[in-house]
Amino acid sequence: MYARRNMEIVKTVAELKTLVAAFKDEKKTIGLVPTMGALHRGHASLVSRSVKENEVTVVSVFVNPTQFNDKNDLANYPRTLEADCQLLEGLGATVVFAPTPEEIYPEPDTRSFSYPPTDTVMEGAFRPGHFNGVCQIVSKLFMYVEPDRGYFGEKDFQQIAVIRRMAEDLKFGLEIVSCPIVREEDGLALSSRNTLLTADERQIAPAIYKALKESVAFSKTHTVEETKQMVVETINAVEGLEVQYYEIVDAKTLASITDWNMAEHVQGCITVFCGKTPIRLIDNINYK
Ligand code: AMP
């Protein structure tokens, strides 16, 4: 454990729990921001919000192996801990928790989580086991830190719905705070994976959000099915982009809707393959 001005960087659960116990003794409120590192302005917005709303902010930086179902994706995931810590210190984070996989999983995690339909549709269908891995790591972090608030980005819209269900189910008793998507000027949602895009791929990627945005006006005079089709066709018409799925869903349950009146809040969730590698990009938009 060593200090950088006011920020501690810890690698073990024991060190983390010692710090947390001291904060709890002092009755300090704690915000937790789970991340996989390679931090950008999207992550920074979560951290800044937590720093504003809590006396202590714990940021975890951990590329969680159990949520990857593709070995190459895990191996190629960007890792930039030194730069991440510099950014976090500037934002006013209190603790960075950056463990090794062995520290988190000394034994394989055999727990399984199931919150249908939130974890079975969309990402749950195309990345089997993904949300189980997310619940494994996030539940461990909630147990170690016992935060008052947990901060999550709407970029991973489905992930928030799954985590809300898990937090309710296991009675973690914290507030789940959802934070708006931070975008580049051209509309592309910030993502750690964007650094893996070639210059050409980076140029075509903003077409995803452009189509989503245009579809909101389109949806006022068209059915759910027509709107879905418009988005898929517009994006697939761009060479180098291929839609994996586009679903228009009840924002709370994530169940697909067939009529705009079927849900109070409606979200469109998309995954697109970009380029030859390809890089998998996700995004979403609110209809009502
Ligand atoms: P990750 O490091 O990709 O696991 O992301 C950590 C947290 O940051 C998750 O809650 C994400 O939803 C959130 N996040 C990632 N990108 C963005 C973004 N562009 N805007 C807002 N939040 C984001």
Side-chain angles (χ1 to χ4, degrees):
M1 195 188 302
Y2 57 100
R4 299 184 166 220
R5 277 193 269 154
N6 295 319
M7 192 174 84
E8 305 272 2
I9 301 171
V10 296
K11 301 257 176 204
T12 67
V13 176
E15 289 170 308
L16 176 65
K17 287 177 97 167
T18 301
L19 289 174
V20 166
F23 297 136
K24 299 256 173 202
D25 280 348
E26 295 165 17
K27 304 263 182 287
K28 288 186 166 161
T29 54
I30 303 179
L32 170 69
V33 186
T35 82
M36 298 203 298
L39 302 182
H40 50 63
R41 285 185 292 114
H43 300 107
S45 72
L46 273 55
V47 175
S48 295
R49 180 136 175 216
S50 174
V51 167
K52 216 186 293 169
E53 296 179 349
N54 302 278
E55 289 156 288
V56 167
T57 291
V58 177
V59 182
S60 59
V61 175
F62 178 60
V63 183
N64 174 39
T66 70
Q67 72 188 70
F68 284 80
N69 49 352
D70 176 341
K71 276 200 181 117
N72 281 334
D73 190 22
L74 174 62
N76 294 331
Y77 200 86
R79 289 162 169 88
T80 60
L81 184 61
E82 189 58 40
D84 292 348
C85 288
Q86 271 175 26
L87 176 79
L88 292 171
E89 185 177 28
L91 293 170
T94 323
V95 177
V96 176
F97 177 50
T100 60
E102 295 72 29
E103 178 68 16
I104 297 295
Y105 302 111
E107 298 289 335
D109 194 334
T110 54
R111 295 172 303 156
S112 60
F113 298 81
S114 174
Y115 300 110
T118 56
D119 61 346
T120 52
V121 296
M122 302 191 286
E123 291 300 279
F126 285 98
R127 300 181 69 188
H130 170 67
F131 287 119
N132 196 52
V134 168
C135 286
Q136 287 177 339
I137 182 60
V138 174
S139 64
K140 280 184 182 249
L141 292 170
F142 284 177
M143 287 189 283
Y144 302 153
V145 178
E146 294 178 42
D148 297 279
R149 300 183 185 86
Y151 292 80
F152 296 89
E154 286 166 12
K155 155 104 187 322
D156 299 279
F157 192 82
Q158 188 173 2
Q159 175 170 276
I160 298 183
V162 175
I163 289 170
R164 280 192 197 285
R165 286 279 304 274
M166 181 193 71
E168 269 168 37
D169 178 32
L170 301 180
K171 302 282 179 281
F172 279 115
L174 82 170
E175 182 189 347
I176 304 293
V177 182
S178 68
C179 305
I181 302 179
V182 177
R183 300 181 178 280
E184 300 284 3
E185 266 189 20
D186 58 17
L188 178 64
L190 261 62
S191 164
S192 305
R193 288 192 174 86
N194 291 354
T195 58
L196 304 173
L197 296 170
T198 65
D200 286 349
E201 290 162 359
R202 176 63 190 80
Q203 268 216 315
I204 56 171
I208 301 167
Y209 181 58
K210 188 163 175 284
L212 291 180
K213 224 170 49 177
E214 284 168 6
S215 80
V216 174
F218 184 90
S219 72
K220 308 285 181 213
T221 52
H222 292 81
T223 65
V224 170
E225 195 50 46
E226 287 164 346
T227 306
K228 264 163 78 169
Q229 205 178 340
M230 175 272 202
V231 167
V232 173
E233 283 173 7
T234 306
I235 294 175
N236 282 345
V238 179
E239 205 185 316
L241 295 184
E242 195 194 334
V243 176
Q244 186 177 37
Y245 66 81
Y246 185 51
E247 295 290 346
I248 296 180
V249 300
D250 180 324
K252 187 149 187 250
T253 64
L254 303 188
S256 283
I257 61 160
T258 48
D259 188 287
W260 297 112
N261 294 322
M262 278 175 70
E264 190 184 349
H265 298 290
V266 174
Q267 206 77 9
C269 300
I270 197 160
T271 291
V272 179
F273 291 117
C274 181
K276 287 216 175 64
T277 313
I279 306 298
R280 206 169 168 276
L281 299 175
I282 66 170
D283 204 342
N284 63 83
I285 196 145
N286 180 257
Y287 286 102
K288 68 169 207 177

